[in-house]
Amino acid sequence: MAKGFPVGALGQHAPRWLAGRWFTALWLTLLLAGGAAQAAERPVLLVMGDSLSAAYGIEQGTGWVSLLQARLDGKARVVNASISGETSSGAAARLPDLLGQHEPDIVVLELGGNDGLRGLPPRQFETHMADMIEASQASGAEVLLLGIDIPPNYGRAYRDAFTGVYTRLADDYDLSLVPFLLEGVVLEDGLMQSDGIHPTAAAQPQILENVWPILEPMIEEELNHG
């Protein structure tokens, strides 16, 4: 044992070099712990969507969900669980595992396009959406609905029944709602791909602008109460 170095905890007679290393190690430990805690406190957003949120036909990094992550600038973490071709049935089957894995604070439901294009019964679509809303809320997450529309050739009665699902769910479960995700996109030159269904990369900033005014207050609330 070196002269002047007491047995046990560091005391006032500990060598300066050892005390310095001990202080540095303590400082780094506290810094890392603080960083981990800060990261853990960031709200988590889970986006459950179809091709409109999966950047179909464009570069992945140009999709509106990627633009959202960039805009948040680290204040929140976005998990994009969207799959091209997804239906409400498929999403409802996948959601429980995703809720358990990511424990999101906000669940964004962007679904229905494929249900509508396949002519599936609106009541069936509504049942699946209600199941996802209830599962999300039971996990402690807030839910945001993103509404869509379907082409006119499906007939006014079917379109009204289909789009009415979003407003009814929003009313029944007291949810925030973006009535039409593609507002300002579908009728604009250069903002839709040749299939007439999927937006181009140039349309993605507008889609984010449609979502942001409704989503931002939800995120701020999570940050203030986190």
Side-chain angles (χ1 to χ4, degrees):
M1 180 74 64
K3 183 178 180 181
F5 186 75
V7 177
L10 287 173
Q12 59 180 344
H13 300 297
R16 290 182 178 179
W17 65 269
L18 186 55
R21 288 187 179 182
W22 178 83
F23 177 80
T24 300
L26 177 61
W27 179 81
L28 287 173
T29 299
L30 293 174
L31 181 64
L32 291 172
Q38 184 177 12
E41 291 171 358
R42 290 189 304 164
V44 177
L45 282 69
L46 174 64
V47 181
M48 294 292 294
D50 50 34
S51 55
L52 299 180
S53 298
Y56 176 87
I58 60 177
E59 292 293 331
Q60 191 67 36
T62 63
W64 77 266
V65 179
S66 294
L67 298 181
L68 170 64
Q69 179 71 85
R71 177 173 293 191
L72 290 171
D73 193 26
K75 291 197 300 182
R77 181 167 65 91
V78 179
V79 177
N80 191 1
S82 303
I83 299 176
S84 294
E86 184 69 289
T87 62
S88 61
S89 174
R94 292 193 297 122
L95 182 60
D97 285 343
L98 291 167
L99 291 174
Q101 180 181 353
H102 299 289
E103 300 182 349
D105 300 283
I106 299 172
V107 174
V108 180
L109 296 179
E110 180 279 296
L111 294 157
N114 292 303
D115 293 68
L117 292 176
R118 297 179 186 185
L120 300 177
R123 282 294 180 184
Q124 175 180 306
F125 167 54
E126 185 170 358
T127 296
H128 293 147
M129 293 292 284
D131 289 344
M132 284 186 281
I133 292 167
E134 292 176 7
S136 299
Q137 292 180 333
S139 75
E142 297 291 326
V143 177
L144 171 60
L145 287 181
L146 305 184
I148 58 92
D149 199 353
I150 53 178
N153 58 295
Y154 281 77
R156 172 54 61 186
Y158 183 76
R159 290 179 69 195
D160 288 348
F162 186 83
T163 56
V165 169
Y166 298 101
T167 54
R168 188 160 52 249
L169 289 171
D171 290 341
D172 290 347
Y173 291 95
D174 192 23
L175 306 179
S176 297
L177 169 67
V178 175
F180 184 36
L181 180 64
L182 301 184
E183 184 71 35
V185 172
V186 291
L187 300 179
E188 300 298 323
D189 292 339
L191 297 188
M192 296 297 290
Q193 298 180 37
S194 58
D195 60 12
I197 296 175
H198 298 97
T200 62
Q204 303 302 311
Q206 179 59 51
I207 297 174
L208 177 56
E209 291 308 316
N210 293 340
V211 176
W212 185 249
I214 309 299
L215 180 58
E216 182 185 22
M218 299 174 68
I219 296 171
E220 290 299 326
E221 183 176 358
E222 291 297 332
L223 288 170
N224 292 333
H225 294 87

